Amino acid sequence: MTKKSDSYRILVADDKANIREMLADTFQEGGFAVTTASNGLEAIEHIQKESFDVVITDLNMPGKNGLEVLQEARGYSPDTQVIVVTAYGTIDVAVEAMRLGAHDFVTKPFKLAEIELKVNKIVRKKDGARGSEGTPKAPAWSRYILGKSDQTKQLLKMVGKIGASRGTVLITGPTGTGKELVARAIHDASPRKDKPFVALNCAALAPGTLESELFGHEKGAFTGAAAQRTGRFERAHTGTLFLDEVGEIDPGIQVKLLRVLQDGEFERVGGVEPIKVDVRIVAATNRDLREAIEQGRFREDFYYRLNVFSLRVPALSERPDDIPALVDHFLGRFSAEAGKKVTAINDEVMHLFMHYPWPGNVRELENVLERAVVLAEGEVVTREEVPQEMLFEQTATPSEPVKSTSGSLAESTEQLESQIIREALERFRWNKTKAAEHLGIKRTTLQYKIKKYELE
């Protein structure tokens, strides 16, 4: 949640106490001033007494329904933005809500990240209208790291802390998670931000070529060396050198890199004169370097020189709450590149994205959305623009919504909520803290729901 002050007011109207309290807690933690209502009549009374920037209202409530709350809110204050929460299968009503002036709608079951993203869009637009005078802004380097999950918030916090240091940084995590973007954020968060940022993929080069790329070479150092050439270290002088896939570096070159880290100097290939450099090293790998040390493929002394600061970028499947922000970013980028206006994905696709395992991580999401923007015929991405293999994965997963053939809407919703909570607990081996983070709720709220649904 990117809220800055209590100058924004939100009204949350829902007859379900657990949903109402969950939303209220989330937005209060984000700095919003939150008012709650347990039914439509109570919501309308609040609207008549005070103004709200955002109203989040359930569609089906006793007394007055969400559409009536919407009409009242828009009637009293045209600037109030209303988000309507609807049950799965009531899309026609949601369309009617949009016709009546709703800003957006969310279908149950929803993830908090979806509503947070929609509210943050409203806030950003209002900030622009107000000029955002005196409002603290996120640091420029944070643009490289997108998302609202607890893991991403912690990553941003760590980047802010270590940016000013001169110490080396080792970034670990699966392929496709955006480790180079984290490295760029570290550079931009440092006093070296106006100096060179030089990147090198160590896995892409043979040992002899890699040595020359790193340290440069003198004329005649080897066959084909027709002139002196400066290496990446010299080009990165006073700045940052990013060594991607550092786990692939030959042990012989690791020795030379260790010397640079220890003494700040090296010789070009074929040279004898030491060259002094001031370079901060940020390295990344998707390998387990401790295992590589045990196997004799990675020097232990080099590992400890690299690992002054350690950052782990988790797989996208571990932080699904980041998906809405990433979707928003990639749609904007690819729409601009394609000269199109594709502004959103529909709720069915969002549900698919939130439950898909993303083996290719953020890079796979990026590729899927680039394809979707090219294929999209309107402003919203539908399942028709999603790769068929993703749809097959969705049908194969056990996390499909429960389809109740009887009972009230409330009973069906609770049945679905119980299933989602059980699956989260099983996924994280009943680690309640991790399950709560995944679900986007407080641990105390999760404990309450476990007791309510008798899951233990």
Side-chain angles (χ1 to χ4, degrees):
M1 180 61 60
T2 56
K3 187 63 187 64
K4 285 84 66 178
S5 73
D6 62 0
S7 59
Y8 287 101
R9 299 187 59 81
I10 288 185
L11 172 64
V12 176
D14 199 299
D15 59 323
K16 293 292 182 184
N18 57 341
I19 294 177
R20 191 168 65 246
E21 291 166 7
M22 177 179 65
L23 289 171
D25 287 346
T26 298
F27 287 107
Q28 282 172 346
E29 286 178 359
F32 288 87
V34 181
T35 301
T36 61
S38 59
N39 57 62
L41 284 172
E42 188 180 343
I44 289 172
E45 287 176 5
H46 285 302
I47 290 168
Q48 292 173 345
K49 291 177 183 176
E50 55 187 313
S51 61
F52 295 94
D53 296 285
V54 182
V55 173
I56 302 172
T57 178
D58 190 24
L59 181 63
N60 294 310
M61 294 184 292
K64 298 283 186 179
N65 64 31
L67 293 182
E68 291 171 293
V69 173
L70 162 64
Q71 290 175 300
E72 197 75 18
R74 297 290 292 172
Y76 266 80
S77 175
D79 291 333
T80 298
Q81 300 300 314
V82 182
I83 298 173
V84 177
V85 180
T86 76
Y88 185 80
T90 57
I91 302 301
D92 289 343
V93 181
V95 172
E96 174 65 11
M98 299 293 283
R99 189 187 68 79
L100 292 172
H103 172 80
D104 212 334
F105 67 91
V106 178
T107 58
K108 293 180 180 179
F110 59 81
K111 281 188 174 287
L112 278 173
E114 295 178 57
I115 293 185
E116 286 182 323
L117 178 64
K118 296 177 188 297
V119 170
N120 282 331
K121 282 184 179 179
I122 294 171
V123 168
R124 286 197 299 269
K125 187 173 182 179
K126 286 179 175 285
D127 278 344
R130 295 181 182 183
S132 299
E133 295 181 5
T135 300
K137 294 182 178 179
W141 54 262
S142 66
R143 70 187 186 277
Y144 292 111
I145 305 173
L146 300 174
K148 306 299 179 187
S149 69
D150 288 344
Q151 296 96 320
T152 295
K153 290 175 184 176
Q154 181 62 25
L155 186 61
L156 284 164
K157 184 178 179 180
M158 286 298 296
V159 169
K161 285 184 175 181
I162 70 179
S165 168
R166 295 171 56 90
T168 56
V169 184
L170 179 62
I171 306 170
T172 61
T175 299
T177 50
K179 295 187 288 294
E180 181 171 346
L181 292 175
V182 175
R184 288 183 179 276
I186 293 168
H187 173 74
D188 280 13
S190 77
R192 300 169 183 259
K193 64 182 180 180
D194 296 322
K195 303 299 182 180
F197 177 89
V198 178
L200 178 63
N201 187 330
C202 302
L205 302 171
T209 306
L210 177 60
E211 184 177 9
S212 177
E213 280 292 327
L214 285 168
F215 307 116
H217 60 253
E218 298 292 353
K219 180 179 178 179
F222 49 83
T223 303
Q228 184 190 79
R229 184 172 185 271
T230 58
R232 303 295 175 104
F233 269 101
E234 288 179 84
R235 287 182 238 169
H237 180 57
T238 70
T240 301
L241 176 60
F242 173 58
L243 301 178
D244 197 10
E245 303 298 349
V246 70
E248 309 303 319
I249 296 177
D250 182 84
I253 298 177
Q254 291 176 31
V255 175
K256 296 187 177 183
L257 285 169
L258 184 60
R259 180 191 172 194
V260 183
L261 289 172
Q262 290 174 334
D263 304 327
E265 65 179 31
F266 64 93
E267 292 94 31
R268 296 192 189 105
V269 177
V272 294
E273 291 295 325
I275 298 170
K276 285 278 189 181
V277 287
D278 172 19
V279 175
R280 184 183 194 178
I281 299 294
V282 179
T285 182
N286 62 359
R287 291 189 176 275
D288 184 341
L289 293 186
R290 291 185 181 276
E291 182 181 329
I293 291 170
E294 292 176 1
Q295 296 172 352
R297 294 185 290 105
F298 204 84
R299 293 180 61 94
E300 188 171 17
D301 49 1
F302 183 44
Y303 170 77
Y304 285 114
R305 279 287 179 179
L306 285 178
N307 197 33
V308 175
F309 294 106
S310 180
L311 292 177
R312 178 178 176 271
V313 185
L316 186 57
S317 60
E318 297 177 44
R319 47 189 175 101
D321 286 350
D322 288 345
I323 291 173
L326 291 166
V327 167
D328 193 41
H329 168 74
F330 288 133
L331 286 180
R333 192 177 99 195
F334 293 130
S335 290
E337 290 176 2
K340 301 176 74 173
K341 188 180 180 183
V342 183
T343 59
I345 64 178
N346 68 19
D347 285 357
E348 183 183 11
V349 175
M350 179 61 81
H351 178 83
L352 168 62
F353 280 12
M354 298 297 278
H355 293 84
Y356 180 69
W358 296 110
N361 294 296
V362 178
R363 188 175 298 147
E364 182 182 4
L365 174 62
E366 180 181 9
N367 293 341
V368 167
L369 288 170
E370 181 177 15
R371 173 187 187 275
V373 168
V374 171
L375 297 178
E377 297 180 355
E379 295 185 3
V380 178
V381 173
T382 69
R383 65 179 288 140
E384 300 301 320
E385 290 85 54
V386 175
Q388 290 298 308
E389 57 267 27
M390 287 185 66
L391 299 176
F392 176 78
E393 177 75 30
Q394 172 76 351
T395 59
T397 182
S399 59
E400 281 290 322
V402 175
K403 295 182 180 179
S404 178
T405 56
S406 62
S408 67
L409 174 61
E411 290 172 344
S412 298
T413 302
E414 290 186 353
Q415 183 183 3
L416 174 58
E417 183 177 56
S418 173
Q419 177 181 313
I420 291 173
I421 291 172
R422 178 179 291 279
E423 288 175 359
L425 289 166
E426 290 175 351
R427 174 179 178 181
F428 293 99
R429 299 181 181 179
W430 287 82
N431 183 316
K432 295 175 185 176
T433 299
K434 290 184 177 179
E437 289 175 357
H438 171 71
L439 293 166
I441 61 178
K442 288 185 174 182
R443 193 176 189 276
T444 52
T445 303
L446 176 61
Q447 289 174 321
Y448 163 78
K449 292 178 183 293
I450 290 172
K451 184 176 180 181
K452 174 182 177 182
Y453 296 125
E454 298 179 348
L455 295 177
E456 281 188 325

